[in-house]
Amino acid sequence: MTAPAATALAPGLTEELRAAVGEAHLLTDPSIVASYETDWTGRFHGRASCVVRPADTAQVAAVMTAAARAKATVCVQGGNTGLVGGSIPVDGAVLLSTARLTVLEPVEVAAGQVTAGAGVTLAALQRHVRAAGYDFGVDFAARDSATLGGMAATNAGGERVLRYGTTRAQILGIEAVLADGSVISRLAGLPKDNTGYDVASLLAGSEGTLGIITRLRLRLAPLLTERAVALVAVDGIAGALTLLQTARNRLPTLEAAELFLADGLALVREKTGLPAPFAAEHPAYLVLECAGRTDPTDDLLAALDACDADVLLDATVATDTRGRHTLWAYRESHTEAINAAGVPVKLDVAVPLTALGELVAALPTTIAEAAPQARLILFGHINEGNLHVNILNATDRAEAVTDAVLHLVAAHRGSISAEHGVGRAKSRWLHLSRSPQEIAMMRAIRQGLDPDALLNPRVLLDAPPPTDRGPAGANSA
């Protein structure tokens, strides 16, 4: 089924938008607009009436003032690396791209802080702050495309949550444009400021439903140049958890603990050509990374030596840059390999660590009952009980698979979204992770800030699930 045609802009709105961002940055050519209408997985699709590319907060405010006057809905898109349909335009909305919000102010060395635009990519931020002797506490494989505004809006996590926390924990200040075009700006970066509600924390994780983030004041981490990475084979989830406990207790330098399984390794090797990491195959694998000001290799080796031989089946350690990148490739190539194999149904969930083994054991049967031809690939951030559930050969059964998996997660006291957000894809299952009272509170906050529901319609709240298409279909989000 073909997606419906975009709704025409209200009379006069085109001219106001052009005046706000300039002729070159109001995009109306359907062939150009189309490049903004599909997410990077190829699963979610929508329609925009136009694309606007503001250069700064003032231009974002002018766009929202015009849109509010015309009662036009606005969808926000950063790097478009989201996985829940939250950055795809719907119903002919105005698509506001943050790609030009790329200001990077000098690092304030004494404070260990920096102010950055919402359109700055994670990789660009890393290069900028590392040149000043600092680092940023969040990292993940999509660093070259993911933007800071999107990371804040979804409270992205990634590989370093174990040590530094999620994106919200890195935010000391925020600037944002509300639905009526008014601007909220708190960029002083005060670590202590108890003057009422924490606006930055409220907007972080709100998925663009409360305001459009334009600039962020970020906490920086020390630049730790001495690193060691271990790829460890274990006997399964129980062994992985035992090893994790040992590593946490013995390694204050531990920065990342990443999990993947035999099926995922086989797919990665098939699609990337990477060699087998060990002579024998094993049920599960962990990537552990330690970072410090002095070489952490000896401590890492000692922690591995402390593990029982029936838990730790094999291991290899790298300290040089090339070797570390090679070991990380077995984990970070999962997303690339999965997308090369087909369009997946991707679900990002978390459960208490005490329930992780039960969840992993139950997932194959649960998914097979909903989609008999499905192929399951699991990986994730084990310290947080965060699994990325990737299901191939199931796009025609996406709703049934999603329903089955999310109910299984809820039965294990888990969250339907650990770090990717709820978006449009999972909004109908929000009640599995939030109480009626919490949802009512969220609705009241949104109603107070955006009474006409102009920002990111059908994201997070009040959203029927998006229709999605596999390789053969074409539905709108």
Side-chain angles (χ1 to χ4, degrees):
M1 183 173 68
T2 302
T7 303
L9 291 174
L13 180 56
T14 301
E15 288 71 23
E16 289 191 71
L17 296 178
R18 184 177 290 111
V21 300
E23 178 74 35
H25 299 290
L26 172 64
L27 310 179
T28 57
D29 183 331
S31 64
I32 298 176
V33 172
S35 65
Y36 294 83
E37 294 176 331
T38 300
D39 82 322
W40 74 279
T41 70
R43 182 181 170 196
F44 297 107
H45 307 260
R47 287 291 181 264
S49 58
C50 66
V51 175
V52 291
R53 292 163 37 94
D56 54 29
T57 300
Q59 290 190 5
V60 175
V63 168
M64 285 311 308
T65 298
R69 188 160 41 241
K71 295 290 192 288
T73 56
V74 176
C75 295
V76 187
Q77 187 177 105
N80 200 20
T81 59
L83 300 172
V84 290
S87 62
I88 299 304
V90 294
D91 303 333
V94 174
L95 190 286
L96 188 149
S97 168
T98 63
R100 296 177 66 216
L101 302 177
T102 54
V103 63
L104 261 175
E105 296 185 9
V107 172
E108 292 195 10
V109 176
Q113 299 177 13
V114 69
T115 298
V120 173
T121 65
L122 174 56
L125 176 72
Q126 290 172 335
R127 290 191 297 269
H128 180 65
V129 302
R130 286 171 184 170
Y134 281 96
D135 206 349
F136 187 57
V138 178
D139 192 28
F140 44 77
R143 60 185 69 85
D144 290 319
S145 302
T147 59
L148 299 178
M151 290 170 58
T154 58
N155 188 29
E159 298 157 355
R160 296 182 177 181
V161 172
L162 186 159
R163 189 165 189 172
Y164 298 110
T166 63
T167 299
R168 181 183 279 120
Q170 322 308 320
I171 299 174
L172 291 170
I174 206 161
E175 185 171 87
V177 177
L178 304 184
D180 63 358
S182 58
V183 176
I184 300 293
S185 186
R186 295 192 64 79
L187 295 171
L190 297 175
K192 291 184 175 181
D193 182 5
N194 288 340
T195 53
Y197 304 137
D198 190 333
V199 174
S201 290
L202 179 64
L203 290 173
S206 65
E207 301 188 46
T209 62
L210 302 181
I212 302 172
I213 297 170
T214 57
R215 287 197 294 167
L216 293 154
R217 180 75 164 185
L218 300 171
R219 182 196 315 275
L220 301 178
L223 179 61
L224 304 176
T225 57
E226 301 300 315
R227 294 179 176 270
V229 175
L231 176 60
V232 185
V234 292
D235 62 351
I237 300 301
L241 290 171
T242 299
L243 178 60
L244 173 66
Q245 181 179 0
T246 299
R248 283 196 315 240
N249 289 342
R250 288 176 169 265
L251 294 169
T253 58
L254 186 64
E255 190 163 281
E258 298 292 295
L259 170 73
F260 59 92
L261 306 181
D263 289 346
L265 175 60
L267 181 61
V268 165
R269 292 191 58 217
E270 172 192 336
K271 298 300 182 182
T272 66
L274 284 169
F278 302 114
E281 295 183 0
H282 301 289
Y285 303 85
L286 285 181
V287 176
L288 303 177
E289 180 163 22
C290 294
R293 296 196 181 278
T294 58
D295 187 352
T297 304
D298 289 345
D299 290 341
L300 176 56
L301 290 171
L304 296 179
D305 287 341
C307 294
D308 293 337
D310 58 348
V311 170
L312 194 158
L313 305 180
D314 210 339
T316 182
V317 175
T319 57
D320 65 291
T321 301
R322 182 176 180 180
R324 296 198 311 266
H325 287 174
T326 297
L327 296 186
W328 265 109
Y330 289 104
R331 160 62 179 86
E332 289 201 330
S333 296
H334 269 64
T335 298
E336 169 194 341
I338 290 165
N339 288 345
V343 178
V345 176
K346 301 178 77 71
L347 299 171
D348 155 50
V349 301
V351 295
L353 289 183
T354 53
L356 188 62
E358 293 179 9
L359 178 66
V360 171
L363 277 169
T365 299
T366 298
I367 291 170
E369 290 174 351
Q373 304 303 315
R375 180 181 181 185
L376 171 64
I377 304 293
L378 293 175
F379 63 91
H381 317 294
I382 189 169
N383 184 69
E384 295 81 55
N386 177 193
L387 285 179
H388 297 302
V389 183
N390 299 266
I391 309 156
L392 292 161
N393 308 326
T395 52
D396 60 336
R397 301 284 297 160
E399 185 172 340
V401 166
T402 299
D403 186 73
V405 170
L406 296 187
H407 274 89
L408 177 65
V409 168
H412 286 84
R413 298 176 293 118
S415 170
I416 67 167
S417 176
E419 59 178 359
H420 291 165
V422 172
R424 298 185 181 94
K426 293 191 282 189
S427 58
R428 72 160 49 179
W429 291 279
L430 182 61
H431 67 281
L432 296 178
S433 291
R434 294 288 191 170
S435 69
Q437 294 79 10
E438 288 175 308
I439 293 174
M441 178 179 175
M442 292 164 69
R443 290 187 194 280
I445 293 170
R446 179 167 187 178
Q447 175 67 23
L449 293 177
D450 184 10
D452 295 315
L454 300 181
L455 285 172
N456 275 13
R458 308 211 308 266
V459 166
L460 187 58
L461 295 166
D462 299 318
T467 55
D468 53 78
R469 70 183 185 188
N475 298 333
S476 68

